């Protein structure tokens, strides 16, 4: 066990270090870039006095490390600063959208993960059959599609032609739970189609990889059915890579919502980020980027840790 | 020309389909000014004219000819994606080879740098940078190329790592050849097949990425035609059951599928060749 604990702690420390470096890049790295933000926002005709006042207001006149530490301290206390565009508290802007984004990603995950597992196991079970080939081609194609293409096709067929689901997911804060789920169906389906392919292919590959092992042959010779061999004998041993790819895809889901939220006018973090980038509202862009990058880093960290924890060689050391 | 034809003949149907689609796209892009009836950003009629008549695919939200914009859009988007991928391969490939050939602290430094860059999702990183630098085509190309070069670096380094330990590289070193000779004459020729396949995949990624940025209104700026922003500009038509906005989106999808098919075929071919040795 101590070896396992040591590896987990090491990976955790590395993850925290990454988070720290990412936050430094997001908050200070932007200064190394060409282009002056003050000039971009105030216009080239701004007087030196306005520029100086604006820099003071943003704290741009202080040395970088002071600003970074101050910002870090504020963030840890839940104070994200104010938006440049409308002067509102960023934490206020974000909290409700954060909930929406996580809600959408969760619905997509609830649909996508079981679907990918079932399809992957079925494809492994009936490998090289027509079913396997059809799934293979469909998933290869869906990986190549831009997200908005998938989204608009779904809107065209399920919303405009069939009239089953709303084409705009404008959820409100007072909406009952199932109403909300209903309005999130199309964006969630889009995200599902985007991530299922990868997860399903990895599941199939992980299982097929194991089928040549002696213990599978043993099970085969015992006369077990193919379903039982795959579900009872192969699947548990293939879990580590499968869990890994699932968590990586969840990380992708959190980031992938950006485009999908814009298509469906869904009030989430992605929508906020895109709006703020076009308004060059740098404090909001930094806060939302930090959220997305943080979620991405943490989920990848989780994937690595699960891979360590589910490794039988580390769980049962000799 | 002969080799292309030979390649086409030995490809399976998916590979042939991919090669054919890519060839058609290149022709359309090259001969765009000849094939189009109107100018790229010329306003020729009212907004949202239906299909047919003088306007083959109708007009867009500002009354520009859809067919014309579709062809010019392909030219712009493909051209920019191609340049970006080339730049990413130049930067990532050279650095990856250098890291593998030199090893030591250069390898460590570049490796850690790439690790940190890859810890931030590409789309978020790109949006963050574009907020500061503003959006223009040269900036777009450089930013995406640098972000994408991290992936190329990883692959190039991994491939080159296996090559630099070969006897013939050792022999070249003992002969006293310099770093560039080793990279250019020993490593590069042997690293070509995986890098060419990766070029196709990276091109797809960059192409989808630029389209997504343009779709978000943060990529290629109007009046330059490109497929991503064309989808966005005309998206309202979808709610009336009109498929016009799906055309540019479908054009993107078709090209990426085609490139993927060709890459698939290419990988099979090169790995098959290796089996014969």
């Amino acid at each position: 066990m101590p070896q396992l604990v040591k590896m987990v702690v090491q990976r955790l420390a590395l993850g925290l270090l990454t988070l720290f470096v990412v936050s430094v890049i997001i908050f200070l790295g932007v200064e190394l870039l060409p282009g002056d933000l003050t000039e971009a926002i105030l216009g080239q005709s701004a007087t030196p006095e306005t520029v100086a006042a604006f820099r003071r207001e943003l704290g741009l006149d202080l040395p970088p490390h002071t600003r970074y530490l101050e910002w870090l301290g504020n963030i840890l206390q839940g104070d994200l600063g104010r938006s440049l565009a409308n002067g509102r508290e960023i934490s206020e802007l974000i909290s409700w959208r954060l909930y929406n984004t996580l809600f959408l990603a969760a619905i997509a995950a609830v649909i996508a993960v079981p679907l990918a597992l079932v399809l992957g196991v079925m494809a492994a079970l009936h490998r090289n059959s027509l079913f396997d080939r059809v799934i293979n081609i469909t998933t290869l194609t869906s990986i190549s599609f831009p997200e908005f293409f998938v989204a608009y096709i779904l809107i065209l067929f399920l919303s405009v032609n069939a009239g089953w689901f709303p084409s705009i997911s404008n959820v409100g804060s007072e909406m009952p739970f199932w109403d909300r789920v209903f309005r999130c169906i199309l964006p969630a389906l889009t995200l599902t189609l985007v991530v299922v392919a990868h997860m399903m292919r990895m599941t199939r590959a992980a299982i097929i990889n194991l089928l040549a092992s002696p213990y599978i042959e043993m099970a085969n010779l015992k006369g077990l059915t193919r379903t039982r061999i795959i579900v009872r004998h192969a699947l548990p041993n293939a879990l580590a890579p499968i869990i890994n790819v699932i968590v990586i895809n969840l990380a992708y889901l959190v980031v992938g919502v950006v485009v999908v939220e814009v298509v469906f006018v869904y009030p989430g973090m992605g929508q906020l980020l895109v709006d703020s980038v076009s308004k060059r509202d740098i404090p909001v862009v930094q806060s939302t980027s930090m959220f997305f990058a943080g979620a991405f880093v943490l989920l990848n960290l989780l994937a690595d840790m699960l891979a360590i924890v589910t490794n039988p060689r580390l769980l049962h050391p000799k | 020309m002969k080799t292309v034809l030979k390649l086409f003949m030995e490809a399976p149907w998916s590979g042939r389909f991919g090669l054919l689609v890519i060839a058609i796209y290149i022709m359309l892009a090259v001969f765009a000014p000849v094939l189009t009836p109107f100018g790229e950003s010329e306003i020729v009629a009212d907004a949202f004219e239906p299909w047919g008549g003088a306007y083959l695919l109708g007009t867009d939200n500002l009354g520009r000819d859809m067919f014309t914009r579709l062809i010019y859009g392909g030219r712009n988007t493909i051209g920019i994606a191609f340049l970006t991928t080339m730049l990413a391969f130049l930067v990532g490939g050279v650095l990856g080879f250098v890291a593998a050939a030199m090893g030591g602290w250069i390898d460590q430094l570049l490796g850690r740098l790439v690790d940190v860059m890859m810890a931030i999702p590409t789309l978020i990183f790109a949006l963050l940078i574009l907020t500061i630098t503003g959006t223009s085509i040269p900036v777009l190309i450089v930013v995406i190329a640098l972000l994408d070069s991290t992936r190329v670096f990883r692959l190039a380094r991994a491939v080159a790592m296996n090559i630099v330990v070969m006897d013939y590289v050792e022999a070249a070193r003992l002969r006293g050849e310099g770093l560039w000779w080793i990279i250019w004459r020993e490593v590069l020729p042997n690293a070509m097949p995986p890098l060419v396949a990766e070029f196709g995949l990276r091109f797809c990624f960059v192409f989808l990425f630029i389209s997504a940025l343009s779709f978000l209104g943060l990529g290629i700026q109007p009046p330059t035609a490109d497929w991503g922003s064309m989808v966005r500009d005309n998206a309202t038509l979808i709610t009336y059951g009109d498929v016009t906005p799906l055309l540019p989106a479908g054009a993107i999808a078709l090209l990426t599928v085609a490139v993927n098919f060709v890459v698939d075929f290419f990988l099979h071919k090169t790995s098959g060749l290796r089996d014969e040795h």
Side-chain angles (χ1 to χ4, degrees), chain B:
Chain B
M1 197 62 217
K2 220 173 175 180
T3 50
V4 175
L5 214 65
K6 200 169 145 247
L7 199 71
F8 185 79
M9 288 319 288
E10 60 186 72
W13 67 267
S14 60
R16 278 186 200 182
F17 170 78
L19 284 169
L20 199 67
V21 170
I22 294 173
I24 292 174
Y25 273 62
I26 293 176
M27 296 296 263
L28 287 179
V30 171
F31 296 108
V34 189
L35 295 168
T36 49
F38 304 100
E40 181 180 351
S41 45
E42 186 186 345
I43 295 176
V44 292
D46 288 337
F48 298 136
E49 291 276 349
W51 289 21
Y55 318 112
L56 194 59
L57 298 174
T59 58
D60 71 356
N61 61 325
L62 295 178
R64 295 169 296 196
D65 183 49
M66 200 69 193
F67 176 71
T68 306
R69 304 260 311 156
L70 205 57
I71 289 184
Y72 270 106
R75 181 188 176 132
N76 297 331
T77 321
I78 295 172
I80 291 173
F82 188 73
L83 274 180
T84 311
T85 320
M86 290 294 278
L87 188 59
F89 265 75
L90 200 66
V91 176
V94 168
L95 289 181
F97 286 162
V98 167
M102 293 188 67
W105 65 271
I106 291 191
D107 186 22
Q108 284 294 324
L109 183 78
L110 288 171
R112 294 297 84 73
L113 190 73
V114 162
D115 280 350
V116 168
M117 281 179 74
M118 286 178 78
I120 306 178
T122 320
L123 179 62
I124 307 298
F125 210 162
L127 289 182
L128 184 72
I129 298 177
L130 292 176
T131 317
I132 315 287
T133 54
T135 313
S136 65
I137 290 176
V139 170
L140 207 63
I141 291 178
V142 172
V143 168
I144 300 176
L146 284 184
L147 292 179
D148 212 48
S149 65
T150 54
R151 272 82 182 164
V152 182
F153 171 85
R154 283 250 173 120
L155 181 82
R157 181 181 170 278
V159 172
M161 275 303 214
N162 289 331
I163 298 173
V164 291
V165 293
M166 293 289 186
D167 288 343
Y168 54 83
V169 177
E170 188 64 35
R173 280 192 212 271
L174 290 175
R175 281 208 301 275
E177 304 289 2
L179 178 68
W180 292 112
W181 169 283
I182 290 178
I183 287 178
W184 189 250
R185 300 295 294 271
E186 311 288 347
V187 176
L188 186 66
N190 291 295
M192 269 326 251
L195 283 184
V196 170
E198 183 70 5
F199 188 87
L201 296 179
R202 288 333 299 171
F203 172 80
C204 284
F205 180 83
V206 168
F207 185 63
L208 287 174
F209 193 75
I210 292 177
S211 306
L213 278 179
S214 301
F215 174 77
L216 294 174
L218 306 168
I220 302 165
Q221 297 296 317
T224 310
D226 96 292
W227 288 340
S229 48
M230 283 172 73
V231 177
R232 176 196 181 85
D233 291 343
N234 301 296
T236 39
L237 284 180
I238 286 270
T239 42
Y240 303 104
D242 188 334
V243 296
T244 314
L246 289 180
L247 292 178
I252 297 170
L254 185 62
L255 181 60
T256 43
V257 170
V259 173
N260 269 325
F261 279 161
V262 173
V263 167
D264 223 36
F265 155 62
F266 181 79
L267 279 177
H268 267 285
K269 189 173 135 68
T270 49
S271 63
L273 278 180
R274 244 180 249 141
D275 287 342
E276 289 169 9
H277 286 302

Side-chain angles (χ1 to χ4, degrees), chain A residues 34-282:
Chain A
D36 186 38
L37 186 69
T38 341
E39 207 167 77
I41 289 170
L42 296 175
Q44 293 200 338
S45 55
T47 60
E49 291 83 52
T50 16
V51 171
F54 184 78
R55 293 182 73 87
R56 205 163 32 249
E57 193 190 316
L58 280 182
L60 288 176
D61 49 346
L62 298 172
H65 60 275
T66 330
R67 265 186 295 145
Y68 176 73
L69 289 179
E70 193 176 323
W71 166 78
L72 194 67
N74 284 344
I75 257 205
L76 292 177
Q77 293 167 33
D79 175 15
L80 299 176
R82 283 174 183 282
S83 152
L84 283 184
N86 50 25
R88 287 176 61 193
E89 286 278 344
I90 295 176
S91 46
E92 214 174 279
L93 279 174
I94 283 185
S95 58
W96 145 247
R97 287 166 177 270
L98 177 60
Y99 171 71
N100 282 344
T101 291
L102 293 178
F103 185 79
L104 177 58
I107 294 189
V110 166
I111 305 176
V113 173
L115 188 67
L117 280 180
V118 169
L119 286 180
V121 170
M122 298 256 290
L125 206 57
H126 306 283
R127 61 191 172 286
N128 300 330
S129 68
L130 186 66
F131 171 77
D132 186 27
R133 261 182 251 156
V134 168
I135 289 233
N136 195 20
I137 296 252
T138 334
T139 49
L140 237 189
T141 332
S142 82
I143 293 177
S144 325
F145 281 6
E147 281 143 345
F148 51 85
F149 185 49
V150 178
Y152 282 122
I153 287 182
L154 287 181
I155 291 187
L156 183 67
F157 286 112
L158 299 183
S159 171
V160 177
N161 287 354
W164 292 341
F165 303 107
S167 64
I168 287 179
S169 311
N170 48 345
V171 293
S173 50
E174 302 294 312
M175 210 171 257
F177 180 78
W178 287 111
D179 243 23
R180 216 173 222 289
V181 173
F182 177 66
R183 283 186 177 265
C184 286
I185 289 287
L186 281 190
L189 269 184
T190 311
L191 286 170
T192 303
L193 285 175
V194 176
V195 295
V196 145
H198 187 208
M199 289 197 280
M200 180 248 133
R201 290 174 82 93
M202 286 301 288
T203 309
R204 177 181 180 278
I207 292 178
I208 289 183
N209 234 344
L210 286 176
L211 290 183
S213 329
Y215 66 88
I216 297 288
E217 202 183 344
M218 167 75 191
N220 232 333
L221 294 174
K222 268 196 314 201
L224 296 184
T225 61
R226 290 179 63 164
T227 317
R228 194 172 162 82
I229 291 175
I230 287 194
V231 176
R232 294 278 303 163
H233 295 258
L235 193 58
N237 285 299
L239 268 186
I242 295 176
I243 291 178
N244 201 27
V245 79
I246 286 179
V247 182
I248 288 174
N249 272 287
L250 293 187
Y252 178 78
L253 262 188
V254 174
V255 179
V257 293
V258 176
V259 172
V260 174
E261 279 181 7
V262 172
V263 174
F264 291 96
V265 205
Y266 184 81
M269 295 282 279
Q271 177 85 259
L272 179 67
L273 174 62
V274 170
D275 285 350
S276 310
V277 171
S278 45
K279 285 186 214 149
R280 305 185 88 169
D281 189 345
I282 193 81

